Amino acid sequence: MRRYRTSGDKFLNEDENVREQQSPFAFPSCSQTLSHLQWWKMLKKKAISKRDRKVYKDRHKILQSHNILHVEIEAEEAKKHKELDKMIAMTDVDPQYFTELSGRPVKEKFSLKEYIQDIREILKTKLLISQEKDDCIRIDQQFEQETRRLRQIQYRCRRYVSDFEEFLSKDHEKSMQMLKKAEWETKLTEEISTQKNELAKQFGQSRLDIYVLEENWRLVKMCQMFLYCVSPVAWRTKYDWQQSESERSSIVDIPLSVDLFNRYKTLDETASLEKLIELFEQDITDAGPAVLYFDDPFDLIRIFRAMETQHLNALVHLESLAVPMADITMTITVTEAQIKREISEITTTINDLENFIIEAENRAANLEEYANYLLRDVFRRLVCSEEVLYLRVFIEDTYESCIDSNDANLDGFSMMKWIEKMHEELNLQLDNLPREIVRACEREGFRQEMKVIKQAEDAARKFELMHRLLDALKRLMEPPASKKRPLIRRSVPIITKLKPPLLSPKPTDEEIQYLTFFTDYCRLRDDFVTYRSKFPDDFNLTFQSKRDDKEKEEEEETTEEKRK
């Protein structure tokens, strides 16, 4: 291995022996380590002594000299580490060295701590050396194990290769045998396919023959059926076996001709040979004697001519019926139009009647509603309203005060007539009286009116005062609010049974009659209690006593029944 470098005293590309250089990974021996430690201690002592002697010098100079000393020491150490020949170490000691120096004073005392520290460092280095040696031994052992494993793998690989070659040889033999068998099987399949093709040709030919025979058979059977149908009826009853079957089928209402034509019609393409053969065998078993009425073909021609003449006669007859049929169709269309017109007129009249009936019903409902409105609202308001009743009472009061008591139960109009007559008479009397008397009467009347007004105001004021006193009395009679803490019950409170609420009293017949005629009371909708305030005082008192009497009688009856 060569290295090239440039320096001031060497040329470029100059060879350099690397083996003579010191390796950076070289580990010194124990003797070299001990000598190095002694040398390092000596240098340390020298540096300390120099530092003590130069205390008086400047700090900067001390630091500078100290740095220079350290740099020189490091350079020397580096040189000594690189050049083993120049390393200062004690390799050989004179045995008389210590005897000669025994009487001299020891410059430095022995330090046990430093000695122990040095021993520890030496032991540490030895321990590191032993660890490195152990690692080397372990690596060698691992290398031997790996080589042994590699040899085993190579042995197995050779064995696997030999086994695989044997397998390939056996597989080749088997594949050759399979190829021979495949060639033999292909020969057999070719022979079988040729036989199959020949059989398929024969089968197709036979099938074609069967289809041709089937078509001929069907044509012959249809011709036979046609000849039987054209033959005379007397001969058919004797020799035609199909007619006998048709008579049987007529019982079941199935025409045989339709069945036969459906049977001998052209079959589908998907019809199998088995089906054709079954039909042929069934026809042979069901077929009767093959006897024909016609021996000469001209007999058929004569029959066809007779049929032609019959058809011509039928056509002529149809042409003669064409005109009356057209007339009938025209009359039918005319009658249909008339019937449709009449039906439309009838429907219009019915719709008009329905509309008229609906209008009449609506008018009747409106009139009924208006009549109810007049009876229940207008007439009742004119007859039974509060203003009308007040007016009647006022008229009756004026009548009784001015004329006489109403013992004859006169109506309001007659009483107003009497009051009007009395008013006219009084006006005539006033006109005849002198003015002083009239003025005195007016003053007296005004005085009485003012007196009545004052009495009414005093009564209203007293009534209001009475209400105030009642409110104050209620406030005074109310118990004071308890401010104490509520007591806690230590036992179950006594439950007092509440009395059921009293049922509202039912109105009597007289009350119902009064409410229906003079109020808006409804028995099904309204409550009787709310209308009790509308009764007059005397009416309420009189009927209340009657109701009480009735209630007492009912209670007595119930008590007697309970006793029994």
Side-chain angles (χ1 to χ4, degrees), residues 134-336:
D134 292 337
D135 291 335
C136 293
I137 293 165
R138 182 175 56 78
I139 290 165
D140 293 335
Q141 290 177 356
Q142 288 179 357
F143 179 72
E144 290 177 358
Q145 290 177 0
E146 292 294 332
T147 52
R148 195 180 300 113
R149 195 179 298 166
L150 180 62
R151 288 170 187 170
Q152 291 178 359
I153 291 166
Q154 288 176 355
Y155 173 72
R156 289 178 184 175
C157 183
R158 287 194 295 273
R159 191 178 66 185
Y160 292 157
V161 168
S162 62
D163 293 338
F164 184 68
E165 288 177 354
E166 290 178 0
F167 172 74
L168 287 175
S169 62
K170 291 179 181 179
D171 187 38
H172 181 68
E173 291 177 358
K174 289 181 181 179
S175 61
M176 294 302 291
Q177 291 176 2
M178 293 296 291
L179 286 172
K180 290 178 181 179
K181 288 181 180 179
E183 289 177 357
W184 184 67
E185 291 292 335
T186 52
K187 290 178 181 179
L188 288 175
T189 51
E190 287 177 357
E191 292 176 358
I192 292 166
S193 62
T194 53
Q195 291 178 3
K196 187 184 76 171
N197 292 328
E198 290 177 358
L199 292 173
K201 287 179 182 178
Q202 294 176 4
F203 177 73
Q205 186 65 34
S206 60
R207 185 173 182 177
L208 182 61
D209 296 338
I210 289 168
Y211 279 131
V212 171
L213 292 172
E214 185 266 336
E215 188 174 359
N216 294 329
W217 174 260
R218 187 170 62 252
L219 181 62
V220 169
K221 293 297 288 183
M222 294 297 290
C223 292
Q224 184 183 4
M225 288 171 61
F226 176 72
L227 291 174
Y228 281 158
C229 291
V230 175
S231 299
V233 178
W235 184 87
R236 289 181 66 185
T237 54
K238 186 176 180 181
Y239 295 102
D240 191 3
W241 56 273
Q242 293 179 359
Q243 188 176 4
S244 60
E245 289 182 357
S246 65
E247 290 175 356
R248 292 176 201 162
S249 63
S250 63
I251 299 170
V252 197
D253 296 333
I254 298 172
L256 184 62
S257 60
V258 177
D259 189 11
L260 290 171
F261 279 108
N262 289 328
R263 184 175 181 181
Y264 293 110
K265 69 180 180 179
T266 305
L267 296 173
D268 298 332
E269 294 180 357
T270 58
S272 61
L273 294 175
E274 289 82 2
K275 189 174 182 180
L276 296 175
I277 293 166
E278 286 178 0
L279 288 172
F280 180 72
E281 290 176 353
Q282 188 177 1
D283 289 338
I284 290 170
T285 54
D286 296 339
V291 180
L292 294 175
Y293 174 76
F294 300 100
D295 295 332
D296 190 5
F298 291 101
D299 295 337
L300 280 173
I301 293 169
R302 285 193 293 273
I303 288 169
F304 286 151
R305 286 175 181 173
M307 291 173 66
E308 186 178 0
T309 54
Q310 288 178 1
H311 286 302
L312 290 172
N313 292 327
L315 289 171
V316 171
H317 183 65
L318 288 172
E319 288 179 357
S320 63
L321 292 174
V323 176
M325 286 293 290
D327 296 335
I328 289 167
T329 53
M330 287 294 292
T331 53
I332 288 167
T333 53
V334 171
T335 51
E336 284 180 354

Side-chain angles (χ1 to χ4, degrees), residues 40-51:
W40 182 74
K41 287 178 182 179
M42 184 179 65
L43 287 177
K44 188 176 180 182
K45 289 176 182 179
K46 286 180 180 180
I48 291 167
S49 62
K50 285 180 181 180
R51 188 179 59 187

Side-chain angles (χ1 to χ4, degrees), residues 97-158:
Y97 177 74
F98 294 103
T99 57
E100 291 177 356
L101 297 175
S102 60
R104 295 180 183 180
V106 180
K107 193 173 184 180
E108 186 179 359
K109 292 183 180 181
F110 178 73
S111 178
L112 183 61
K113 289 183 180 180
E114 291 179 359
Y115 179 74
I116 292 167
Q117 188 69 27
D118 294 337
I119 295 298
R120 284 179 179 175
E121 290 178 358
I122 291 165
L123 292 173
K124 285 180 182 179
T125 53
K126 287 183 178 181
L127 182 62
L128 292 172
I129 291 164
S130 62
Q131 286 179 356
E132 293 293 333
K133 287 181 179 180
D134 292 337
D135 291 335
C136 293
I137 293 165
R138 182 175 56 78
I139 290 165
D140 293 335
Q141 290 177 356
Q142 288 179 357
F143 179 72
E144 290 177 358
Q145 290 177 0
E146 292 294 332
T147 52
R148 195 180 300 113
R149 195 179 298 166
L150 180 62
R151 288 170 187 170
Q152 291 178 359
I153 291 166
Q154 288 176 355
Y155 173 72
R156 289 178 184 175
C157 183
R158 287 194 295 273

